[in-house]
């Protein structure tokens, strides 16, 4: 382990010493690629390890999973206790939570699993503390709640983002719009649809060379960076929405609160006093982008009490059938749909039809 950490430290110090200009772009790209490869070795150590250590592996339940990430003693456990009614040990000293504590809430008909993860310390991405296990669990979440102390939010936010980025988590970002295809021969082909400020053919070849890739077609569809290209080559990056919870707002003035409200992806709260939980849950719902579909048995009224909850990327009638029972898709004849995804109420649709939130569906099977 220490040898990998030493190599990482050497590369980081060399990058800090290197001036950034056109002449050094290729060298910096090479260093970044080496750094990414070493970080990957840290994330997936030889012989497994990962998140399955005792107390960290929590079975997935409900329709979505939200992980609480933050430094020790920022109020994650208090928040979980007050949101989900789950007792996670709370105390005024650091590192009270030593394992993952699960909780569950029901919101707008969806069951959402909440995970209070042990506090992250600086250097977690390099294996300090139990950072690797904590972040491995964070990678399985649909949404991250980054809990920050309102009195020092920006320093903590920067440090935490740096730790999570080191583990291949990209918060509130879209995957890079770069098409990358390996091939058997023909060298490196680089096409750019817009002017590039950082990447040119030599830099791209240098980065690919570090991965022993000598034949590939690459198309850059926007002004990309070396980091973006490395993310695409590595292919193990996870893009997760994140909401920054600025806790302990009972300790600041109204004027300061007005300023905080203008920061993107932020919700000011007080976990201890239950303040602003409504805003928090509403924003959580928007970021999870869940779609509720109501079932309608033949000749009966729709069942509005327990919707089938789908993820926004998989909202076809087929996904709905599979969520009900995997045999239904095989016996499927057509579906009747009421709601905003159809022009007529009801409308007869096939298995590929894409459903909208709060549609009502009746499945008709083959006789």
């Amino acid at each position: 382990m220490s040898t990998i950490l030493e190599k990482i430290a050497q590369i980081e110090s060399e990058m800090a010493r290197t001036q950034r200009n056109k002449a050094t772009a290729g060298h910096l790209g090479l260093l970044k690629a080496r750094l990414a490869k070493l970080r990957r070795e840290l994330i997936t150590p030889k012989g497994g390890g990962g998140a399955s250590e005792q107390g960290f592996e929590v079975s997935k339940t409900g329709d979505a999973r939200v992980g609480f990430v933050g430094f020790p003693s920022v109020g994650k456990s208090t928040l979980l206790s007050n949101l989900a009614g789950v007792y996670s040990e709370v105390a005024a000293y650091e590192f009270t939570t030593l394992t993952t504590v699960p909780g569950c809430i029901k919101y707008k008909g969806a069951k959402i699993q909440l995970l209070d993860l042990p506090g992250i310390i600086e250097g977690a991405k390099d294996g300090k503390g139990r950072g690797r296990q904590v972040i491995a669990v964070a990678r399985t979440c649909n949404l991250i709640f980054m809990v920050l102390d309102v009195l020092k939010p920006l320093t903590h936010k920067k440090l935490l983002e740096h730790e999570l980025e080191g583990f291949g988590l990209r918060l509130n970002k879209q995957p890079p719009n770069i098409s990358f295809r390996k091939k058997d021969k023909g060298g490196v082909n680089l096409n750019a649809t817009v002017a590039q400020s950082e990447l040119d053919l030599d830099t791209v070849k240098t980065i690919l060379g570090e991965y022993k890739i000598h034949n590939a077609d690459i198309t850059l569809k926007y002004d990309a960076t070396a980091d973006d290209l490395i993310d695409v080559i590595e292919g193990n990056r996870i893009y997760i929405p994140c909401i920054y919870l600025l806790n302990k707002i009972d300790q600041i003035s109204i004027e300061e609160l007005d300023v905080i409200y203008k920061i993107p992806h932020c919700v000011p709260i007080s976990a201890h006093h239950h303040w602003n939980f409504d805003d928090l849950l509403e924003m959580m719902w928007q970021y999870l982008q869940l779609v509720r579909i109501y079932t309608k048995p033949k000749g009966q009224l729709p069942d509005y009490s327990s919707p089938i909850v789908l993820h926004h990327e998989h909202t076809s009638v087929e996904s709905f059938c599979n969520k009900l029972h995997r045999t239904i898709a095989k016996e499927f004849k057509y579906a009747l749909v009421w709601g905003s995804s159809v022009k007529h109420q009801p409308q007869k649709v096939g298995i590929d039809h894409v459903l909208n939130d709060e549609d009502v569906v009746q499945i008709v099977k083959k006789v």
Side-chain angles (χ1 to χ4, degrees):
M1 178 69 81
S2 61
T3 54
I4 295 179
L5 293 180
E6 281 164 16
K7 285 176 188 170
I8 286 174
Q10 282 167 7
I11 291 172
E12 282 179 338
S13 69
E14 190 177 341
M15 283 170 68
R17 288 196 307 271
T18 308
Q19 281 190 321
R20 289 171 185 274
N21 55 45
K22 273 270 189 240
T24 60
H27 181 60
L28 279 169
L30 179 70
L31 293 176
K32 284 176 178 175
R34 280 186 188 155
L35 199 58
K37 284 170 70 182
L38 289 167
R39 289 231 185 283
R40 177 165 22 107
E41 284 181 49
L42 272 181
I43 299 171
T44 50
K46 291 173 181 63
S52 56
E53 282 191 35
Q54 192 59 40
F56 280 84
E57 186 61 17
V58 176
S59 60
K60 221 170 183 175
T61 60
D63 301 304
R65 186 179 236 194
V66 177
F68 293 20
V69 169
F71 281 113
S73 297
V74 288
K76 299 191 301 299
S77 301
T78 308
L79 181 62
L80 182 73
S81 303
N82 292 343
L83 269 179
V86 172
Y87 181 70
S88 178
E89 197 175 331
V90 179
Y93 54 85
E94 297 197 341
F95 296 106
T96 344
T97 307
L98 298 173
T99 60
T100 304
V101 180
C104 194
I105 56 168
K106 203 164 184 187
Y107 188 68
K108 295 192 178 185
K111 288 191 186 78
I112 293 160
Q113 186 182 36
L114 306 175
L115 295 181
D116 175 16
L117 301 170
I120 289 179
I121 58 169
E122 216 177 321
K125 67 180 187 312
D126 301 327
K128 284 188 190 166
R130 304 194 73 176
R132 187 193 298 124
Q133 298 96 312
V134 174
I135 299 177
V137 176
R139 283 171 69 96
T140 67
C141 296
N142 305 99
L143 173 67
I144 298 287
F145 278 174
M146 190 180 284
V147 188
L148 303 166
D149 189 326
V150 77
L151 299 175
K152 41 192 169 187
L154 290 174
T155 39
H156 278 189
K157 176 176 177 282
K158 253 190 175 147
L159 288 167
L160 280 167
E161 282 178 340
H162 185 60
E163 296 300 326
L164 295 174
E165 291 252 323
F167 266 95
L169 278 162
R170 302 289 178 260
L171 304 179
N172 296 328
K173 286 182 181 173
Q174 292 298 317
N177 195 359
I178 296 173
S179 74
F180 167 71
R181 192 174 64 87
K182 285 190 210 173
K183 54 187 185 178
D184 297 330
K185 55 187 178 188
V188 174
N189 234 333
L190 179 66
N191 293 309
T193 55
V194 294
Q196 298 294 314
S197 56
E198 188 174 322
L199 292 176
D200 56 23
L201 186 58
D202 289 340
T203 308
V204 169
K205 279 184 172 174
T206 307
I207 292 168
L208 290 175
E210 180 60 29
Y211 287 94
K212 298 185 170 55
I213 298 168
H214 305 294
N215 302 293
D217 288 332
I218 293 169
T219 307
L220 308 173
K221 298 171 187 173
Y222 70 110
D223 187 6
T225 64
D227 291 315
D228 295 337
L229 179 59
I230 290 164
D231 281 356
V232 171
I233 298 166
E234 284 280 335
N236 63 352
R237 304 304 189 229
I238 292 186
Y239 298 85
I240 300 184
C242 174
I243 298 175
Y244 303 101
L245 310 188
L246 297 177
N247 190 22
K248 307 180 185 176
I249 53 170
D250 45 310
Q251 299 177 13
I252 60 169
S253 67
I254 296 289
E255 290 76 24
E256 287 172 307
L257 196 55
D258 285 341
V259 172
I260 285 168
Y261 250 114
K262 290 171 185 154
I263 304 168
H265 313 296
C266 272
V267 182
I269 59 159
S270 168
H272 183 68
H273 295 289
H274 297 237
W275 289 354
N276 211 22
F277 280 11
D278 290 351
D279 268 13
L280 167 61
L281 292 171
E282 191 50 49
M283 199 167 182
M284 173 192 78
W285 183 257
Q286 285 170 21
Y287 278 52
L288 285 171
Q289 292 181 286
L290 297 175
V291 174
R292 293 157 296 171
I293 309 296
Y294 302 110
T295 54
K296 183 189 179 306
K298 193 177 179 183
Q300 295 176 34
L301 289 169
D303 177 12
Y304 290 113
S305 60
S306 50
I308 300 296
V309 179
L310 304 174
H311 288 271
H312 69 284
E313 290 164 4
H314 307 286
T315 59
S316 66
V317 173
E318 187 175 10
S319 302
F320 170 73
C321 291
N322 291 336
K323 193 85 187 263
L324 283 171
H325 199 278
R326 58 181 177 273
T327 58
I328 292 176
K330 291 173 189 166
E331 301 164 359
F332 179 88
K333 188 177 180 187
Y334 64 87
L336 292 171
V337 176
W338 292 258
S340 60
S341 72
V342 289
K343 288 178 183 170
H344 314 293
Q345 310 292 333
Q347 187 170 319
K348 200 169 168 179
V349 300
I351 203 156
D352 296 328
H353 176 76
V354 174
L355 300 163
N356 287 352
D357 190 31
E358 299 204 271
D359 277 0
V360 173
V361 178
Q362 179 183 321
I363 302 291
V364 179
K365 295 181 187 177
K366 292 172 190 162
V367 179

